[in-house]
Amino acid sequence: MPKAAVCKEIGSKLEIADVDLAPPQAGEVRVRLGASGVCHSDLSVTTGQLLQPLPAVLGHEGAGTVVEVGEGVTNLAEGDHVVISWVPQCGTCYFCARDQGELCEVGSMAIMTGGLLDTTSRFSLGGQSLFHMAASGTFSEETVVPAMGAVKISDDIPLTSAALIGCGVLTGVGAALNTASIRPGDSVAVVGAGGVGLNVIQGAKLAGAERIIAVDMVEGKLERARDFGATDAVNASDGNAVAQVQELTSGRGADVAFEVIGLESTVMQTFEMARRGGQAVIVGVPKMESRFDVDVALSLVMGEKQVRGSWYGSSNVHRDIPMLAGLYQEGKLKLDELVSRTITLDQVNDAFEAMGSGEVARSVIDYS
Ligand code: PAD
Ligand code: ZN
C-alpha cells in the first residue's frame, strides 16, 4: 500500500493516506517514485484554478524506477529509471504526426478524464476510486502510468534532479527552445522567476539570447534568476514593470516576452513588453474564465505582434527528455540548483506555502 497525498476537494489541504494501487494493465508500467517536485499547478488544483477531476492523487513532476511492466510493453523494462511525462505521447495521432506531441489526442483524453488511457484509475482509497493528476499521480510512493508516458533516462542522474525535467524543465526550457523563436542576440523578458520561469531563463540562454530580463516581485527570486542566466532584474513592486523593460530595450520592448505566473494582469503586461513584430509567449495558466483583451489594429495588424500559448514546452517528450538529461550530464543545464530543499511526502502542504518565499525555487519530495 503506497503512501500518497490526496486532494479530496477544492479548498482543503492534501491528506496523506495509504492507498490501494492496482497492477499495471496492458501498455502500463508501475513506477516506484524516487522523487517528485511540487509545482504551482498542483497548488492550482487545490484552489480550483486548474481543472482536475477529484478526489485525486496529485503530483505530476516525478522520476523513479520501473518495478513492473504490463502486457505488451516493449519500450521499458523492470529496473529502468524513468522521467514521467504528464502528457503521455502516442507518437502516431494527428498531433504527434505534426510534431505537436504536447497536444497528443490520446494523452489529452487521459488528462481530461483524470484517469489513464482507458479513462480508468489504478488508485483507490477504501474502495473509492481516486483520479491520477495528469495521468501521473507522483505524490505517491508508487504509481501506475501509461508506458508511453514514461521515458527512460540514464541511471546515474539523481532522481531528485531528474524529477524536475518532468514538468518545470520541459515546460520552461521547451517554451524557450520550441515554442518561441529566439535568435542569437535577442532580448528576452521573463515575467515570473519561479520554478518554471527559471527554466525559461536557462532555455533563453541556451537559445543564445543576449539580454535576459527577469521580472518578479520577490528579491530572492530575482537573485536566483541571475544564477540561471538573467542579465537584468526588474522588481515589479518598484513601479511599472512594462516601462522598466522598455527602458532596458531601447524603448522598443523585448524581442520575446514570456508570462510564467498565470495572472490576467501579467499576461497583459507581457503582451505590452513584447516589441512590435515580437512574440508574447504565455506559459502561466490563469483561471479558466480568464480573457485577454488586445487592440487588433495597432498591435496585431500594424504592429505584427504574435501571441502564442505554450503547453508543456511544445515538447516531444520522447525526444526532449533524453536531450535535456544529456545537457545536464554535459554541465549545460542546471537541475541540482533548482532543488532548493528536499522534503518528505508529509510536508507537501508546507511546500505550497513555501512557494511564495524567495528561498525556494522548487521543493522536491525525496522518497528514498
Ligand atoms: P511559482 O509559484 O514557482 O512561480 C511564480 C513566480 O511568479 C514567483 O516567483 C512569484 O514571486 C512571481 N509573481 C507572482 N505574482 C507576480 C507579479 N504580479 N509580478 C511579478 N511576479 C510575480 O510557479 P511555477 O513556476 O511552478 O508555475 C508558474 C505558472 O506556470 C503557473 O501558472 C503554473 O500553473 C504554470 C505551468 N504551466 C505549464 C504549461 O504547460 N503551460 C506547466 C507547468 C506549470
Ligand atoms: Zn507542473
Side-chain angles (χ1 to χ4, degrees), residues 37-42 60-61 86 133 166-168 171 196 312 362:
V38 182
C39 173
H40 204 106
S41 300
D42 298 301
H60 60 281
E61 186 177 73
W86 59 254
M133 177 172 179
C167 182
T171 299
V196 182
Y312 212 8
R362 268 296 198 249

Side-chain angles (χ1 to χ4, degrees), residues 44 55 76 80 82 88 108 117 138 175 177 227 243 248 251 261 280 302 310 345:
S44 295
L76 295 170
D80 283 350
V82 291
S108 302
L117 301 186
T138 60
L177 296 184
D227 301 336
L248 288 166
I261 303 169
M302 296 176 221
S310 180
L345 182 63

Side-chain angles (χ1 to χ4, degrees), residues 25-26 28 106 109-110 113-122 132 146:
Q25 297 187 0
E28 298 172 354
V106 179
M109 182 58 75
T113 59
L116 300 186
L117 301 186
D118 66 354
T119 76
T120 66
S121 166
R122 304 293 158 265
H132 296 239

Side-chain angles (χ1 to χ4, degrees), residues 19 42 123 300:
V19 299
D42 298 301
F123 284 120
L300 283 190

Side-chain angles (χ1 to χ4, degrees), residues 212-224:
I212 304 173
I213 306 163
V215 182
D216 206 288
M217 296 176 79
V218 180
E219 214 39 63
K221 304 265 186 186
L222 289 169
E223 268 164 44
R224 190 178 295 102

Side-chain angles (χ1 to χ4, degrees), residues 2-233:
K3 194 152 61 135
V6 180
C7 179
K8 290 197 168 157
E9 56 187 7
I10 291 168
S12 64
K13 290 202 167 200
L14 302 192
E15 281 180 36
I16 310 298
D18 291 322
V19 299
D20 290 301
L21 183 65
Q25 297 187 0
E28 298 172 354
V29 292
R30 183 159 64 98
V31 177
R32 179 169 303 143
L33 273 311
S36 172
V38 182
C39 173
H40 204 106
S41 300
D42 298 301
L43 174 61
S44 295
V45 168
T46 69
T47 59
Q49 174 153 337
L50 194 63
L51 287 180
Q52 162 68 46
L54 298 177
V57 175
L58 300 194
H60 60 281
E61 186 177 73
T65 309
V66 174
V67 288
E68 190 181 350
V69 299
E71 205 188 303
V73 172
T74 53
N75 62 324
L76 295 170
E78 221 179 289
D80 283 350
H81 283 201
V82 291
V83 168
I84 290 175
S85 161
W86 59 254
V87 181
Q89 297 185 358
C90 74
T92 53
C93 73
Y94 183 91
F95 295 96
C96 285
R98 283 158 183 78
D99 198 21
Q100 291 181 303
E102 71 281 6
L103 303 178
C104 174
E105 257 162 20
V106 179
S108 302
M109 182 58 75
I111 298 173
M112 276 187 306
T113 59
L116 300 186
L117 301 186
D118 66 354
T119 76
T120 66
S121 166
R122 304 293 158 265
F123 284 120
S124 59
L125 178 61
Q128 185 193 17
S129 179
L130 301 171
F131 293 105
H132 296 239
M133 177 172 179
S136 329
T138 60
F139 289 171
S140 173
E141 291 166 335
E142 289 192 4
T143 186
V144 170
V145 296
M148 65 172 72
V151 181
K152 186 173 153 77
I153 53 160
S154 152
D155 290 356
D156 51 22
I157 302 179
L159 291 171
T160 44
S161 298
L164 302 183
I165 296 178
C167 182
V169 179
L170 263 177
T171 299
V173 176
L177 296 184
N178 299 329
T179 317
S181 319
I182 299 175
R183 295 185 208 185
D186 270 359
S187 60
V188 166
V190 181
V191 185
V196 182
L198 289 172
N199 285 297
V200 176
I201 290 170
Q202 64 172 338
K205 188 176 172 195
L206 284 169
E210 194 176 293
R211 187 147 217 180
I212 304 173
I213 306 163
V215 182
D216 206 288
M217 296 176 79
V218 180
E219 214 39 63
K221 304 265 186 186
L222 289 169
E223 268 164 44
R224 190 178 295 102
R226 289 190 187 270
D227 301 336
F228 280 77
T231 55
D232 300 86

